[in-house]
Structure formats: C-alpha cells, structure tokens
Amino acid sequence: DRRLVAYVVLIPGATLDAGDLRHFLAKRLPEHSVPSEFEILGSLPLTPNGKVDRARLPSVTMVRSQSSDEDAGPRTRLEQALAAIWADVLCVERVGRRDNFFDLGGHSVLAVRLVQRIREDLGYELQLSTFFVAPTVESLAAVLEGGSGAIAWSSTVPIQPAGTKRPFFCVAPILGIVFPYYDLARRLGDDQPFYGIQPLGLDGRARPQTRIEDMAAYYIDAIREIQPTGPYYVGGWSFGGVVALELAQQLRRRGDEVGILAVFDTPAPVQSQRPSAFAMARFGMSLALRYSWPYLSDYVYLRALFWKRRAEGLRKTTRGDSDGRPAGRASLSSVLQRAAMASVVPPEARSLLLHQASVRPLFNVFWGSRQAINQYRAKPYPGSVDLFRTDTTVRQNRRDPLIGWGEVAQGGVTVHQIPGRHMTCIRTPNVEFLARALRPCLGLTAMERISRSTNPLGVPHADLDRMGKAVAG
C-alpha cells in the first residue's frame, strides 16, 4: 500500500486545496508521479548544509484536504456512519461525501475490509463491484437507502461506462476481481467505455462455474445486454485471457464479429505451454518473495498454489481435513492460518483471518477457475490475436515469442512488448505503456488488423518491412 506524499510549505496567507493542486500537477507529471497525499508544513526541516532533512519530516498522518466546497462533509446519519468506516479502513482523518474511493488509495483488499465493516456495523450486504458504481460516500449511501442495500448482481462491471466508442470487455483474472483493470480503464481515456467481466459465485450465493466454455457462454449473455451486436472488443489478463479466447470463439460461432481479442501476458492454453505443477508452485513462491501485495487475487492465488502443493504431498497419508474435504482442497481457514504461521502473509493482510466470510467466495471462485483451466484445451481460432506480453513470461514459457498463440490464432498474432513482469505489467507505472499500446488497437479496422498480424514465421509484418528495407539498403 505504498503512496506518494508531498510535503508542502505555503507562502504567507495562502490556502491549499488538495484537489486543485492534484489537478495542477496532473497536467505536468505522469499519473504515477502525482502525489496522493499532501502534508502542510510551516517549513521544511534542513540539515546543517542546507539540504532537506528527510529523517525529521513528520510521519504521514494521511490527512487529505477536503474539496473547496464548504458543504463537502457527510450530511445524513448514514453518510456519517459510512464516512467514519471509510476513514478507519482507508487510514485517513476525514472523508468527505464526494471523496472517491480509488482516489483515497482504495483497492481490492480495502474493498474487502469495507464490505465486512459495513456488514458488521450497518447490516448491509454489498458486492465488491459496488465501489465502481458508487465510489463515493454520497453515492454509496444512495445505493444503501435505495431499498435492497445492494446493487443487483451482474457479470458486467461498469468500470468506465461513459464514452462514444465501442466498449471493451475485459475478463477478470483467476479470482474474479476486476479491480486490477481500474488503472487501465482510466488510462484509455474518458471516451473509451470499459467493462470488467466477473464470474458467478463472487457474490457468495451462486455456485462458481468449473468449465471455461460455460463461463464464456454466460458472459456472452451479459455482454449482449450492454452491446446487442458486434463487432465485440474482448480481452483479459492472465486467466482472463484464456476465458476471453473461448468467449471470442463462441461469438464467432454465433455469427458475431470480434473486432479485437487482446490477451495480456497470457500463455496460450496449449499443451506446449503448460508448466508442471512443481514449476507453477516454484514460480508462485518466487513471485511471493519478490513483490508486495497490492491485489487480493495475487495473494490467494500464490498462497493457494503453495499450500495446494503441500496438501497434495500429504494426500497419501491423510483422507482429508477436519471439514471432510480432500486434502488437495485445503479449507480457507487452514490456508490462511498456515500462511500466517509461516510468515508469508504481510502484516496488513493478516486481518483477513478475521474476514473469512468476505474472502470465502473469492476462494471458491479460485478453485472453480483452477479446475476449469486444468480441463480446458484451446481449439484453433479463426481470427487474429493481439498479444501484450513481457520478456519474463517469454523466458518462463520455453522462450516462445508468441507464448503458444501461434498454435491457436489462424488469423495471425500481433505482438506488443510491454514492460514489467506478469504481476506488475498491469500496474502503475507499467500500465501506462500497456494502455498506450492498446489504445490504437481498439480503433483499427479489420483490414488494418490483418496487415498488422504476424506471418507464419511469427514475425510482425511491420518488422519484416523494416528488415526488408535494411537488406535492400
């Protein structure tokens, strides 16, 4: 939960509005360089040689200046209760009724905590996706006061619904949470509608699906409620890229046009790209050691891989755990407790041990998705694929530059090199490069897409043209 803080000294008589200052800086700095907090100081502490003494800077209190609107505070009792919960969970002193959850540093982990606190303190049931539809205290209070206390369940999450262009539908990664797509949606621009696609079972009521084909069929019905006719723009990161492939397959079989199939650092679901169970566990643990934990989905995915491997080793000596399930599917409580005891859970994540009711649906979706991906085998896809991939994933998948998609996409593969690793390519600051590469693809015509696809040698035509000119020179 790292954040960028600005220590500000005002000239005499001046006042600071954090919103205006943030807007001013956003025009001059990359988005990841814009501070999320501003600390007002009378003066900067200096060392004897006149440099800023960072050690003497006061600790960050996470105080955020409110909007210049004098009536920015909560008005009703419900808004006041929500603002108090938000302030506690988000570690801020005050929350105005129009403050945005994401601008305050909100992410999937904090959303889980908020859902749990709102359930315990106020008695309302919420979905994680509610924070995209109602990202402020004011809008969330309106939802809760609307009657049912929750927005009707839908697989389509309007992360950024406004705009005149055709919407882009992005399938959630393996745990079903669409929060990782928030930064990407923002960077594609206000005119590009962006919908996250989340699975059945995330609300804790429906049973998670265990077949990729069933997931895709269900998603198509939900997508058509937003966009009745094609061409459709679909994609996904990691596990979401595999589901997006099947979704595009079924759309084409139904006679619909697929304008773009974009996969973000996803190896193709073909036999040549399937790692062994040991390699997956080793890869998961290496990531756990190298990276922090900004998304809940990463945490459960990596820890579940590790403990599932341990459970498989014990399967020969035990018939199951205490609740009767096989040892290969260790209970959520067992996974979290063992992870805490092994000190593989960061301090800020250990509170999840107290919030198992909120995490359990995610855990169940994870197991259903793991079962689905293990059974799925890709068939030849008659269209083209836009592959956004990192060098690390190429090295970890037999150094195939197309990471298996050359065996699937009969219409060719266009490779877009993006920075970072699998777990960081969709996060700040790497997501800016991903958005920059994806943005023009969403506006290409069918003929332009064909001209950009790869030839049977796996080399983009644009690269071949440059190679040809070099040889001719």
Side-chain angles (χ1 to χ4, degrees):
D1 195 22
R2 297 180 180 177
R3 303 178 186 182
L4 187 62
V5 179
Y7 290 89
V8 183
V9 177
L10 303 179
I11 61 176
T15 59
L16 173 69
D17 177 75
D20 290 342
L21 181 54
R22 188 177 291 109
H23 180 72
F24 173 83
L25 294 175
K27 294 181 177 180
R28 293 160 175 78
L29 298 173
E31 186 166 352
H32 67 273
S33 297
V34 178
S36 58
E37 284 88 28
F38 297 90
E39 283 286 322
I40 310 300
L41 303 178
S43 62
L44 292 175
L46 302 177
T47 63
N49 58 4
K51 296 183 179 180
V52 175
D53 189 347
R54 294 176 179 267
R56 292 170 54 201
L57 287 170
S59 61
V60 180
T61 60
M62 300 300 181
V63 176
R64 294 173 174 84
S65 299
Q66 299 300 310
S67 169
S68 57
D69 185 354
E70 295 181 356
D71 191 30
R75 299 166 299 181
T76 66
R77 293 183 61 181
L78 180 56
E79 286 183 355
Q80 292 172 356
L82 289 173
I85 294 174
W86 281 39
D88 185 31
V89 173
L90 294 170
C91 298
V92 299
E93 184 175 290
R94 294 177 300 161
V95 175
R97 72 174 189 274
R98 294 171 184 164
D99 287 339
N100 188 285
F101 171 75
F102 297 98
D103 291 341
L104 295 178
H107 48 69
S108 59
V109 178
L110 296 178
V112 168
R113 296 177 184 172
L114 279 176
V115 168
Q116 182 72 12
R117 283 288 304 277
I118 292 172
R119 178 192 298 119
E120 294 174 349
D121 296 359
L122 305 179
Y124 291 105
E125 292 287 343
L126 286 176
Q127 304 163 16
L128 291 177
S129 58
T130 303
F131 293 100
F132 290 106
V133 181
T136 66
V137 166
E138 184 178 47
S139 58
L140 183 59
V143 168
L144 298 179
E145 292 171 340
S148 64
I151 295 174
W153 167 260
S154 174
S155 278
T156 52
V157 180
I159 299 177
Q160 205 296 99
T164 60
K165 299 181 180 179
R166 289 191 177 273
F168 182 54
F169 298 94
C170 215
V171 183
I174 197 165
L175 215 71
I177 299 178
V178 297
F179 277 74
Y181 296 138
Y182 177 75
D183 284 341
L184 177 60
R186 287 200 306 174
R187 285 165 172 79
L188 288 177
D190 295 337
D191 199 38
Q192 178 59 62
F194 193 111
Y195 289 84
I197 307 297
Q198 61 184 1
L200 278 173
L202 204 59
D203 59 353
R205 295 181 176 88
R207 186 180 183 86
Q209 294 173 312
T210 58
R211 296 181 69 248
I212 299 291
E213 295 84 353
D214 295 339
M215 295 177 184
Y218 179 75
Y219 294 158
I220 288 176
D221 293 338
I223 287 173
R224 280 182 165 168
E225 294 181 4
I226 306 296
Q227 181 185 340
T229 60
Y232 293 98
Y233 297 164
V234 298
W237 170 54
S238 195
F239 171 81
V242 176
V243 182
L245 167 64
E246 178 59 28
L247 200 156
Q249 294 271 31
Q250 293 189 22
L251 282 171
R252 292 181 69 98
R253 287 199 295 268
R254 295 187 185 193
D256 292 309
E257 180 183 353
V258 177
I260 179 175
L261 170 57
V263 292
F264 307 138
D265 213 47
T266 304
V270 294
Q271 188 60 41
S272 64
Q273 296 297 312
R274 289 185 177 274
S276 65
F278 175 76
M280 291 183 66
R282 183 178 60 182
F283 175 55
M285 288 307 297
S286 68
L287 289 174
L289 294 173
R290 291 186 182 185
Y291 299 116
S292 60
W293 181 65
Y295 294 131
L296 178 64
S297 56
D298 299 347
Y299 157 72
V300 177
Y301 176 68
L302 296 177
R303 303 309 181 273
L305 278 179
F306 176 75
W307 292 113
K308 181 174 183 289
R309 182 63 180 172
R310 287 285 301 273
E312 288 173 346
L314 297 173
R315 188 175 296 171
K316 296 180 181 180
T317 60
T318 181
R319 298 179 61 183
D321 56 18
S322 59
D323 60 6
R325 287 185 294 178
R329 285 193 59 182
S331 68
L332 172 62
S333 176
S334 174
V335 170
L336 293 177
Q337 290 175 5
R338 293 175 186 173
M341 292 173 61
S343 298
V344 296
V345 182
E348 67 272 15
R350 291 175 186 168
S351 62
L352 287 175
L353 290 170
L354 304 176
H355 301 328
Q356 293 184 24
S358 296
V359 180
R360 189 172 299 279
L362 313 179
F363 194 74
N364 292 336
V365 167
F366 164 79
W367 284 114
S369 299
R370 289 300 303 168
Q371 182 177 343
I373 193 66
N374 288 337
Q375 297 173 349
Y376 185 69
R377 297 294 184 271
K379 298 178 182 178
Y381 175 62
S384 62
V385 170
D386 279 88
L387 172 63
F388 301 78
R389 55 108 172 116
T390 64
D391 281 338
T392 301
T393 299
V394 172
R395 291 194 298 270
Q396 292 170 343
N397 288 271
R398 297 167 175 79
R399 299 189 180 276
D400 175 8
L402 303 183
I403 51 178
W405 288 101
E407 304 176 35
V408 178
Q410 296 178 328
V413 181
T414 301
V415 176
H416 307 268
Q417 181 69 30
I418 54 177
R421 298 172 180 266
H422 183 71
M423 292 294 189
T424 63
C425 65
I426 201 164
R427 298 178 187 157
T428 302
N430 298 326
V431 68
E432 294 184 3
F433 297 91
L434 173 58
R436 192 181 305 167
L438 176 61
R439 194 179 297 115
C441 297
L442 297 174
L444 291 178
T445 65
M447 289 303 298
E448 289 172 333
R449 192 165 305 285
I450 292 175
S451 68
R452 286 166 57 94
S453 64
T454 59
N455 58 43
L457 295 177
V459 181
H461 287 298
D463 291 349
L464 282 180
D465 291 342
R466 286 193 291 270
M467 292 166 58
K469 292 178 182 179
V471 172

